[in-house]
Amino acid sequence: MSTERLRNEDYQDYSSTDASPEESPSEGLGNFSPGAYQRFGESNNTTWFQTLIHLLKGNIGTGLLGLPLAVKNAGILLGPLSLLVIGVVAVHCMGILVKCAHHFCHRLNKPFVDYGDTVMYGLEASPSPWLRNHAHWGRRTVDFFLIVTQLGFCCVYFVFLADNFKQVVEAANRTTNNCHNNETVILTPTMDSRLYMLAFLPFLVLLVFIRNLRVLSIFSLLANMSMLVSLVMIYQFIVQRIPNPSHLPLVASWRTYPLFFGTAIFAFEGIGMVLPLENKMKDPQKFPLILYLGMAIVTVLYISLGSLGYLQFGASIQGSITLNLPNCWLYQSVKLLYSIGIFFTYGLQFYVPAEIIMPFFVSRAPEQCRLLVDLSVRTAMVCLTCMLAILIPRLDLVISLVGSVSSSALALVIPPLLEIATYSSEGLRPLTIAKDALISVLGFAGFMVGTYEALAELAQPSAAPNSTNSTGAFAY
């Protein structure tokens, strides 16, 4: 694999979420350039139903588990309403991205352009000479935010695995068959959760050594099955005997709302998968309908679990709703099942930043050392996510920070600005410009305030998590 091929040819994308990959890098590893996002496999071969399933798989995942705490941070009334608004705006921005990508496909006679390409071509089409001369930074910006977001997912996976396994192990001696009496039990202390993270480290390193996407697709199937069973059991519990919600605040403190925003937009950040899915459809004209239908289902699921979870557990809701489940074997198995799903999903989420970063190092290594360099960089990246999880005591705040910074940029800030840059030379209605500017300004405001609040909470010594939960606001 020559340096020239690494720089000039496109590799086919595996999206930024956990939809199943289908082909092996051994068949196309020489055909990628950093940031080119197109799904592996033949183009235009999925039906509308398969595309809908991929869209649901890519958005319904670990983000659900932190939404009850997010609703608590916003209030039982304001939280669901805000989730609805964020969902509508996020889907609208996905539609903008698809429209701009189509525009450049027709204009440049290309079969497919990815997110980074679309932003780069949008800057080249802008009336500003400075933006046209620096258009390549559009792709680099998208790549940067994708890396931050995906590695943020990987960090929270470490904490989720550690907290859930720690709770199961510590409660093992007091676990019963009675799932109707959700009493607080005295856990038998074991080792620190950070030691659990270190225990998972070598296994996750071995997992990311798997570069064959056919093999990863098997793990994706296992992850999806285990998560689906777990979600059914979680819903089955939280809809029973819901307590009187009169004591729950309709609107929470304004200081915690930015943390809600970061967690919510982190959960809705599925924009990286939109163009690859549309590119694979047999009938791409149906994609807008599939997009709106799929995201409507996702939004309803997010609002329902976030609201019902907060109603069921109230102020005691923890960062992952699994940590609030009863101490019986049935729901302990739910924690283990979801943890298994997240373990395998780590390799899929890790694939995106690895494919962006890896060419930079591999292309500069001697031919005989490229495999060693590839594996070494993968190991270093996994160790980095583990160390961030260990060193930062409130990973819930870090996830809110990642959501505020990178997810808000990808999902809210960039697409409206892209529409303005793309169509400014062709004429845009003032109402469209005002709408795009408003979305970008609100997204940027969420980025600023959410970042400030998360950093302020991290700076407080009192922000250390209690012994029952170090996950905090588990988001994706």
Side-chain angles (χ1 to χ4, degrees), residues 6-16 31-39 112-121 136 138-147 272 275-276 351-360 410:
L6 281 168
R7 289 176 179 171
N8 295 334
E9 297 186 11
D10 289 337
Y11 80 100
Q12 294 177 319
D13 173 48
Y14 169 69
S15 74
S16 67
N31 297 323
F32 63 78
S33 63
Y37 274 54
Q38 182 177 344
R39 187 176 302 281
F112 173 75
V113 292
D114 59 42
Y115 196 167
D117 283 336
T118 305
V119 173
M120 181 176 67
Y121 294 141
H136 62 282
R139 167 178 288 286
R140 295 179 182 178
T141 300
V142 170
D143 286 346
F144 170 77
F145 286 128
L146 281 171
I147 291 172
L275 293 180
Y351 186 85
V352 175
E355 289 303 295
I356 296 174
I357 295 173
M358 212 60 63
F360 177 83
L410 290 172

Side-chain angles (χ1 to χ4, degrees), residues 85-94 96 115 261 264-266 268-269 271 403-418 435-447:
V85 172
I86 291 176
V88 170
V89 174
V91 175
H92 176 69
C93 290
M94 292 178 183
I96 289 176
Y115 196 167
F261 172 83
I265 197 61
F266 195 87
F268 272 109
E269 199 285 299
I271 196 169
S404 298
V405 175
S406 60
S407 297
S408 62
L410 290 172
L412 298 181
V413 177
I414 295 178
L417 297 179
L418 172 64
K435 178 263 298 179
D436 288 341
L438 178 63
I439 294 175
S440 289
V441 168
L442 291 178
F444 186 74
F447 152 68

